[in-house]
Amino acid sequence: MMARYVAGRLAGVVVILFLVCLFTFVLFFTLQPDPAVMICGKTCTPERIDQIRGVLGLDRPFLTQFLGFIGGIFAGRDYGEGANLVHCAAPCLGYSFQTNQSVMDMVVERLPVSATVAVGAAVLWLLVGIAAGLLSAVKEGTWLDRTAMGLALGGSSIPNYVLALALQYVLVVQLQVLPFPQAVAFSDDPVVWFQSYLMPWIVLATGYACLYARLTRANVIDTLAENFMRTARSKGLSPALTLRRHALRPALTPIATIFGMDFAGLLGGALITETVFGLNGVGKMAADSIAKNDQPVIMAVTLLAAFFVVVGNVVVDLVYTRLDPRVRITSP
């Protein structure tokens, strides 16, 4: 039963990714300005534009281009002719119009930076958000509850770029307690690595932590009012044991759902955070590509984000059955 369910979900993932490929291909290769004109510049002849279109394969029918793109992902594809023939190995996402680099190599090179930002921010917002929400729920109606929820409301209202600039000004320029963020490998210098990513983690985690705090508080309060919680307390269980054993699991189950979606979205690229801090991750690469209308790179980032989102959905559904015993996979 479980194998059939997983197979069905994976088939759905393939269909969704195919539709995303089709949509992005139509969007960036038929609705956007001609890439050959963007590459050639303002002082360019029509003959030169036609030549560039031929090199890029943009003069071919739409269906031919799309099938070539899909085939390149699974089997690779060839670019150019004769002595200029270049083979792009699978998974091939094409070459950048601006740098002529393999798009796949560009993504692989920058993905560790985005993954570091995403994982660090996710750990931070889970710890802070759930702890604050849980404490606020237990202390419902007190000054601690009102203060925590007030901070959560204010924190969720601050745009990322404003918080990033404020932290840089205070911590880097004025107090000089942190260096300006740079993409340093953990193996090279763990201390500088932590210092460099601390501000991006805080900026990216603040909004999510505030949201998770409010959601956790609401879920825990609702769970504490359930009949099975009254039964547990009537049996003489301590408040801490009752909260940990009986209240947390059903209260945090919805958190797992939105966490899977939020984390999957982050792996697609934290565009604003990476751009403000100058971290050369997938998000900054996407921002630079949009500014230069580098369509193959934009398509690659779009597909990467879609891949993580749909796979994240499947993982969340599977984890859900472990977190909540009431959820069971049944055959149709």
Side-chain angles (χ1 to χ4, degrees), residues 10-322:
L10 291 179
V13 167
V14 173
V15 173
I16 293 175
L17 290 179
F18 177 82
L19 294 177
V20 170
C21 285
L22 179 61
F23 176 77
T24 54
F25 198 88
V26 170
L27 181 64
F28 293 121
F29 280 86
T30 64
L31 301 182
Q32 291 289 333
D34 192 340
V37 176
M38 302 291 295
I39 295 172
C40 197
K42 296 181 179 179
T43 59
C44 190
T45 63
E47 292 77 13
R48 177 58 180 162
I49 294 177
D50 291 338
Q51 182 181 6
I52 295 176
R53 287 179 58 84
V55 172
L56 298 178
L58 301 177
D59 57 344
R60 300 173 183 174
F62 169 78
L63 184 59
T64 302
Q65 294 185 51
F66 179 67
L67 293 179
F69 177 76
I70 295 297
I73 296 177
F74 295 98
R77 60 185 302 188
D78 294 328
Y79 288 87
E81 298 178 352
N84 298 323
L85 181 66
V86 176
H87 179 71
C88 179
C92 177
L93 298 175
Y95 291 89
S96 167
F97 289 163
Q98 299 296 327
T99 64
N100 204 32
Q101 290 180 273
S102 169
V103 175
M104 190 65 192
D105 292 342
M106 295 173 65
V107 171
V108 170
E109 179 183 353
R110 291 160 177 79
L111 190 58
V113 175
S114 294
T116 301
V117 174
V119 172
V123 172
L124 184 61
W125 90 56
L126 276 178
L127 292 177
V128 175
I130 293 178
L134 183 59
L135 181 62
S136 184
V138 174
K139 301 295 183 180
E140 182 186 5
T142 65
W143 67 269
L144 187 61
D145 176 28
R146 292 191 293 268
T147 301
M149 290 301 100
L151 292 175
L153 181 60
S156 61
S157 305
I158 302 176
N160 279 3
Y161 62 88
V162 173
L163 181 60
L165 294 176
L167 286 179
Q168 289 184 80
Y169 178 74
V170 174
L171 299 179
V172 178
V173 178
Q174 293 296 322
L175 300 180
Q176 298 183 358
V177 295
L178 289 177
F180 193 83
Q182 51 185 319
V184 178
F186 179 81
S187 58
D188 294 340
D189 194 328
V191 176
V192 176
W193 172 85
F194 178 80
Q195 293 176 336
S196 295
Y197 283 103
L198 183 58
M199 282 193 296
W201 288 340
I202 294 175
V203 169
L204 199 55
T206 297
Y208 290 103
C210 295
L211 172 64
Y212 280 48
R214 297 168 65 185
L215 184 60
T216 301
R217 176 185 181 274
N219 290 338
V220 172
I221 290 177
D222 289 342
T223 303
L224 291 176
E226 294 288 343
N227 291 330
F228 68 86
M229 292 299 300
R230 298 190 186 97
T231 302
R233 287 191 291 265
S234 67
K235 291 180 178 180
L237 297 179
S238 65
L241 182 60
T242 303
L243 182 66
R244 184 177 69 253
R245 180 175 296 179
H246 298 285
L248 278 183
R249 178 174 289 187
L252 296 183
T253 299
I255 300 293
T257 302
I258 64 170
F259 174 73
M261 295 294 297
D262 291 338
F263 185 68
L266 285 183
L267 287 178
L271 190 150
I272 295 178
T273 302
E274 292 180 4
T275 301
V276 172
F277 288 110
L279 295 173
N280 198 17
V282 175
K284 186 174 184 299
M285 181 179 69
D288 295 340
S289 301
I290 292 172
K292 299 176 182 178
N293 196 31
D294 198 346
Q295 296 172 2
V297 180
I298 300 173
M299 285 191 60
V301 175
T302 304
L303 294 177
L304 179 69
F307 173 79
F308 282 121
V309 168
V310 295
V311 172
N313 267 305
V314 176
V315 173
V316 166
D317 287 345
L318 297 177
V319 172
Y320 216 91
T321 61
R322 298 296 181 183

